[in-house]
Amino acid sequence: MAKILVTFWQSKIGDSLNNLICYYESFAKELKDCGNEVLLINKSLFANDYFKPDVRHQEYLMQKVKDFNPDLIVAFNNQVFNGLFESTSCPVLLFDADASYLFSSKETIKKHLDRYFMVTHYNSWENSYPQLGFSKDRVCTIHIATSLKKEEKNQDKNISFIGTKFLGTLTPNLKKLINNNGLNLYKMLLEFWQTKNFNYEDLMKKYCNGYEYNDFDIAYIFDYRSYVLSSILDLGLNLYGVNWKLGEDNNIALMSAFDDIPKFSLKHNQDVYNESKICLSISHPQTRGYAFPWRVYDIMATNGLLISSRSDLLNELTKGIVKIPMYESPYEARELCLKYLKDENLRKDIVAASNEFIEKCGRWKDNFKTIQDITGVRLINQAEQTVSDFAIVECLDSDKNEKCKKKSALKTGLKNIINGFSLILMSLPLIRFLFSQKVRQKVYNSIIKYRDEEHD
């Protein structure tokens, strides 16, 4: 039995800081079911900057780590933090949840390279890791895996999507690009849509040369999930996730389709996918038409039909077992949805083949065997032991109180602004007579009260 420390970054979901997205919950559950002890640290609860190793309450965190005494650390996107390496001596697995430009604390990799092993979900991505200092014998490839199961449920949902709306407030770079070079930007997108050339950098050089942009700007420009979802709104869309009511667009129909009841856990995902006739996967631009997100295997394990954006890797992996319907444009996505909503038998045939593929190639145990072989840490016990459920390091009450104080301070500040504005209006000659002295005194007393609260 091994002790596994898992670190990651996840924003708060729902009403609890301890809620986990489906993938992290599945990963921890599978490790536990193989007889291991698992401790989870969500670094977002202790840090303000995703990319830096600085954390609040470092002594508290280090004591938790020392008490746990891990045999292996799994750091998704390298979410490590100050003091972690000094407090432990075990191997560290860097799991690529995203492309390497989204790795945190990169300076720690070369500093502690002798402790690191690189784990990637995608065959071709391993070629980019020597630049981080990894030799080939310290990089291993595993497949994406899922814990979801097929359940016979009433499929009362036509099409479902669980995911994040990536587009938020546009950066100054993008605003400048759109305002000063909009027509060329559109020409570039036309070429992208027509040729399916995923070399974003070459396209940007061709049409946007001379303008500043970064990897995040490129992701914003070439992301098309809102377009895909808009194209099938009239077919019946069940939209879940986060941020769908935020951003600078005015897609009222898509915002209105969003169900803000949180759907994040293993059970949430399993229920939604089994209750849906079609489940969409819309890849982030970083996959470049090759890789695919974690949700793909989750969907394929259930009773819902996966319709995916283009993924050459998924085609390669599923060859000979199942042919997943894929699209390269919002219009193709719509046509596929129409086709498979009408043809139930064809839909069920693909679902059955998808289930077969997952049972053969999409479960966690063979991944754990691969990790055992490269790290020497035993993850699969011959006689599986029953261990307590995985644990999550909770943020301190002082952090919770600080968040409440900030919220209260904001409320107090707004009250002061409103009361002050009201008192000014009540002092104007034409308006003053509309309000009694008692009302004016009440507003004044409120200003004094909230001013004192603001300075407590």
Side-chain angles (χ1 to χ4, degrees), residues 234-291:
D234 63 311
L235 303 182
L237 172 64
N238 295 270
L239 178 60
Y240 309 97
V242 293
N243 296 339
W244 289 102
K245 290 183 179 178
L246 303 178
E248 297 187 342
D249 60 74
N250 61 349
N251 193 333
I252 295 171
L254 193 58
M255 290 179 178
S256 302
F258 174 53
D259 186 339
D260 57 7
I261 297 175
K263 302 289 184 185
F264 56 88
S265 69
L266 190 158
K267 178 169 172 44
H268 290 151
N269 281 256
Q270 187 164 284
D271 287 346
V272 168
Y273 293 150
N274 278 304
E275 292 165 359
S276 303
K277 296 172 184 174
I278 291 173
C279 306
L280 280 178
S281 173
I282 311 169
S283 294
H284 188 282
Q286 66 178 317
T287 63
R288 297 177 183 260
Y290 176 76

Side-chain angles (χ1 to χ4, degrees), residues 286-331:
Q286 66 178 317
T287 63
R288 297 177 183 260
Y290 176 76
F292 55 92
W294 293 337
R295 76 169 63 85
V296 160
Y297 278 26
D298 289 340
I299 296 169
M300 292 176 70
T302 68
N303 224 5
L305 171 69
L306 168 67
I307 293 182
S308 171
S309 51
R310 174 181 162 183
S311 170
D312 295 342
L313 177 59
L314 184 60
N315 264 332
E316 179 185 325
L317 292 172
T318 57
K319 188 176 180 180
I321 301 178
V322 59
K323 180 69 174 175
I324 298 297
M326 294 185 187
Y327 59 87
E328 295 192 80
S329 73
Y331 320 103

Side-chain angles (χ1 to χ4, degrees), residues 103-298:
F103 288 179
S104 172
S105 310
K106 288 184 182 179
E107 67 282 356
T108 64
I109 298 174
K110 290 185 178 180
K111 187 176 178 182
H112 300 281
L113 197 56
D114 60 317
R115 299 268 302 275
Y116 270 103
F117 293 91
M118 183 72 228
V119 177
T120 179
H121 292 88
Y122 307 110
N123 288 321
S124 68
W125 285 16
E126 64 192 16
N127 297 323
S128 65
Y129 295 133
Q131 64 184 322
L132 295 176
F134 289 101
S135 57
K136 289 186 178 181
D137 63 333
R138 296 185 78 85
V139 179
C140 73
T141 303
I142 63 171
H143 59 72
I144 292 176
T146 181
S147 297
L148 271 64
K149 304 285 186 181
K150 177 179 180 178
E151 292 180 323
E152 296 297 332
K153 289 179 173 286
N154 177 30
Q155 290 189 315
D156 56 357
K157 299 175 175 64
N158 272 0
I159 307 168
S160 293
F161 178 76
I162 306 175
T164 303
K165 179 185 178 185
F166 290 124
L167 295 179
T169 302
L170 298 181
T171 64
N173 287 346
L174 277 181
K175 288 181 179 179
K176 184 177 180 181
L177 197 56
I178 293 168
N179 290 335
N180 299 334
N181 196 46
L183 289 178
N184 274 337
L185 196 63
Y186 176 56
K187 290 177 183 176
M188 178 184 71
L189 289 172
L190 279 177
E191 180 173 333
F192 169 65
W193 293 328
Q194 291 166 2
T195 64
K196 305 302 184 293
N197 172 16
F198 289 93
N199 192 329
Y200 308 131
E201 292 76 13
D202 280 357
L203 288 170
M204 292 293 287
K205 286 177 183 177
K206 180 176 178 180
Y207 290 97
C208 303
N209 194 32
Y211 289 90
E212 291 184 10
Y213 56 85
N214 56 37
D215 290 327
F216 297 98
D217 295 329
I218 290 176
Y220 270 40
I221 291 169
F222 291 97
D223 178 62
Y224 69 160
R225 63 177 47 195
S226 292
Y227 310 146
V228 170
L229 294 171
S230 296
S231 77
I232 48 94
L233 276 168
D234 63 311
L235 303 182
L237 172 64
N238 295 270
L239 178 60
Y240 309 97
V242 293
N243 296 339
W244 289 102
K245 290 183 179 178
L246 303 178
E248 297 187 342
D249 60 74
N250 61 349
N251 193 333
I252 295 171
L254 193 58
M255 290 179 178
S256 302
F258 174 53
D259 186 339
D260 57 7
I261 297 175
K263 302 289 184 185
F264 56 88
S265 69
L266 190 158
K267 178 169 172 44
H268 290 151
N269 281 256
Q270 187 164 284
D271 287 346
V272 168
Y273 293 150
N274 278 304
E275 292 165 359
S276 303
K277 296 172 184 174
I278 291 173
C279 306
L280 280 178
S281 173
I282 311 169
S283 294
H284 188 282
Q286 66 178 317
T287 63
R288 297 177 183 260
Y290 176 76
F292 55 92
W294 293 337
R295 76 169 63 85
V296 160
Y297 278 26
D298 289 340

Side-chain angles (χ1 to χ4, degrees), residues 310-360:
R310 174 181 162 183
S311 170
D312 295 342
L313 177 59
L314 184 60
N315 264 332
E316 179 185 325
L317 292 172
T318 57
K319 188 176 180 180
I321 301 178
V322 59
K323 180 69 174 175
I324 298 297
M326 294 185 187
Y327 59 87
E328 295 192 80
S329 73
Y331 320 103
E332 291 176 4
R334 176 181 176 80
E335 290 303 311
L336 286 173
C337 288
L338 282 168
K339 174 182 176 180
Y340 289 104
L341 284 174
K342 290 177 182 177
D343 196 330
E344 182 179 5
N345 289 332
L346 184 56
R347 192 172 73 237
K348 287 186 174 181
D349 287 344
I350 298 174
V351 167
S354 297
N355 295 162
E356 178 188 350
F357 171 79
I358 291 299
E359 294 309 318
K360 288 181 177 178

Side-chain angles (χ1 to χ4, degrees), residues 1-4 36 368 372 375-383:
M1 179 175 67
K3 294 182 178 182
I4 316 299
N36 302 291
F368 292 160
Q372 277 186 178
T375 64
V377 178
R378 188 180 186 84
L379 300 181
I380 303 173
N381 301 282
Q382 289 181 343

